Amino acid sequence: MRLDRYMALCLLDPEAGYYATRDPFGQTGDFITAPEISQLFGEMVGLCLAQSWMDQGCPAPFLLAEAGPGRGTLMADILRVVARVPNMADAARIHLVEASATLRGIQAETLAGYEVTWADAVDALPQDRPLFFVANEFIDALPIRQFTRTETGWAETQVGAEGGQLRAGRSPATRLARLEPRFAATAPGDVVEICPQAATVVEAVAQRLVRGGMALFVDYGDWRSLGDTFQALRAHVPVDPFATPGEADLTAHVDFEALACAAHAAGVAASAMTPQGLFLERLGITARAQALAKKLSGAALEAHIAAHRRLTHPEEMGQLFKALALYPEGAPLPPGLSPSG
């Protein structure tokens, strides 16, 4: 089967899929995301959304939505910021895009006291009001197709059984119209990955941004896909992605150029890809960290300093992770992001 089909089954099968059967987040899970590292991340994202909302005239009501909300930690931190902005909390209608019943239950506990509506997919979100949307480490978990350049075309990665074990193999090479622009710019042996569902997500978001709002994508990756980035994590350690289907997290780096191109094709503007560290610094993360540090000491202070470094330093998440914003043509650039072009 194709790699994207394998990923979809491993991650999303309703009975045996990775996300359907467990809480994978945090120190006791398989990986840890920025919101779980420190409240600083969610507060800065909340500031970005709040300032964009004010820059666009404080529309009310509006949709405050998150895709792939994990335990609900990021949304809880965002809502703490929203509560401090006059009239914003009253105008917000909270929606979470989450297919896992297990994670929905955890999110409901985290966000107890808030009225939350869940959707199975981004295209199920309402279209009748402005959308302020965030997706942190969401695109990287969408299934990818992977191709290896040959002398004559592209051989696609496929998954099959050999000797009772799952193994990766390749289809016969062929020329593909979608990858034709990459052929002359690559060499035999180069690997290119595409994520068809990412464009579908961007198109669905863009359809809703015609009424106003903005969408923030934060993930690890680079401007243009090149190289084999398909990986599996279990208990915070890289593992064979074919050894235990449904038992490990499967991800791949995000192609931010593809997101921006899909946005432009759908008629909305896109910021430049901005390193996470720079994005957070522009929003004031260091000043906020210093303010919080005054109330801490000992091990708590050391952990706080380490968390700030992990989120922002180029040798940690600061450079590997990137941010990209989509917004209506003519609307102000969301804060923290760099302008395109």
Side-chain angles (χ1 to χ4, degrees):
M1 70 178 73
R2 286 188 344 200
L3 184 59
D4 58 340
R5 175 63 174 159
Y6 175 75
M7 285 186 69
L9 286 172
C10 289
L11 296 176
L12 301 174
D13 182 85
E15 295 184 0
Y18 179 76
Y19 287 111
T21 57
R22 72 201 66 222
D23 171 10
F25 303 97
Q27 297 291 351
T28 60
D30 294 320
F31 58 90
I32 187 168
T33 60
E36 304 289 342
I37 292 171
S38 170
Q39 70 185 72
L40 293 168
F41 180 82
E43 289 176 354
M44 295 305 106
V45 171
L47 285 173
C48 177
L49 294 170
Q51 187 62 58
S52 293
W53 179 74
M54 291 187 287
D55 288 344
Q56 294 190 33
C58 305
F62 73 93
L63 209 65
L64 178 60
E66 182 184 358
R71 290 175 171 167
T73 305
L74 176 55
M75 182 56 75
D77 290 338
I78 290 170
L79 289 169
R80 194 166 57 252
V81 174
V82 166
R84 300 175 68 89
V85 179
N87 303 317
M88 190 174 184
D90 290 338
R93 305 294 182 265
I94 305 166
H95 287 247
L96 300 180
V97 179
E98 178 60 71
S100 166
T102 298
L103 291 177
R104 284 189 182 192
I106 296 170
Q107 292 153 17
E109 292 180 4
T110 302
L111 299 172
Y114 293 100
E115 184 176 340
V116 179
T117 301
W118 279 267
D120 288 332
V122 175
D123 61 9
L125 293 172
Q127 299 189 53
D128 60 348
R129 61 199 62 177
L131 171 66
F132 289 81
F133 173 92
V134 62
N136 177 65
E137 291 198 55
F138 174 71
I139 300 295
D140 69 87
L142 297 181
I144 62 161
R145 298 178 67 183
Q146 186 186 78
F147 299 88
T148 301
R149 163 85 144 78
T150 71
E151 294 286 355
T152 59
W154 299 94
E156 183 166 8
T157 299
Q158 297 182 334
V159 182
E162 181 182 1
Q165 301 275 332
L166 292 178
R167 295 282 187 269
R170 294 176 185 167
S171 70
T174 186
R175 295 299 282 261
L176 298 169
R178 180 167 184 172
L179 291 178
E180 198 64 29
R182 300 295 306 272
F183 194 82
T186 52
D190 284 347
V191 175
V192 171
E193 297 167 343
I194 62 174
C195 181
Q197 286 189 29
T200 302
V201 169
V202 169
E203 290 163 5
V205 168
Q207 290 171 1
R208 288 149 179 81
L209 291 181
V210 298
R211 294 184 176 274
M214 62 88 74
L216 178 67
F217 295 89
V218 183
D219 227 312
Y220 58 94
D222 217 327
W223 182 244
R224 181 174 296 164
S225 168
L226 185 63
D228 178 3
T229 72
F230 178 56
Q231 61 184 324
L233 280 178
R234 190 173 186 182
H236 303 271
V237 176
V239 296
D240 180 351
F242 307 110
T244 54
E247 298 292 325
D249 182 42
L250 303 179
T251 67
H253 285 205
V254 172
D255 182 337
F256 282 91
E257 181 186 41
L259 298 185
C261 288
H264 294 144
V268 299
S271 71
M273 182 186 73
T274 306
Q276 175 177 293
L278 178 58
F279 169 69
L280 296 174
E281 291 291 358
R282 286 173 172 170
L283 289 164
I285 191 172
T286 295
R288 175 60 172 156
Q290 290 170 343
L292 290 174
K294 294 177 181 179
K295 305 175 184 178
L296 303 173
S297 61
L301 177 59
E302 292 178 6
H304 175 66
I305 293 171
H308 173 265
R309 174 185 168 85
R310 186 170 179 183
L311 291 172
T312 60
H313 197 279
E315 294 180 0
E316 302 220 25
M317 297 176 73
Q319 186 63 37
L320 174 63
F321 282 72
K322 313 295 196 309
L324 182 83
L326 312 183
Y327 52 102
E329 291 285 358
L333 175 72
L337 283 301
S338 301
S340 63

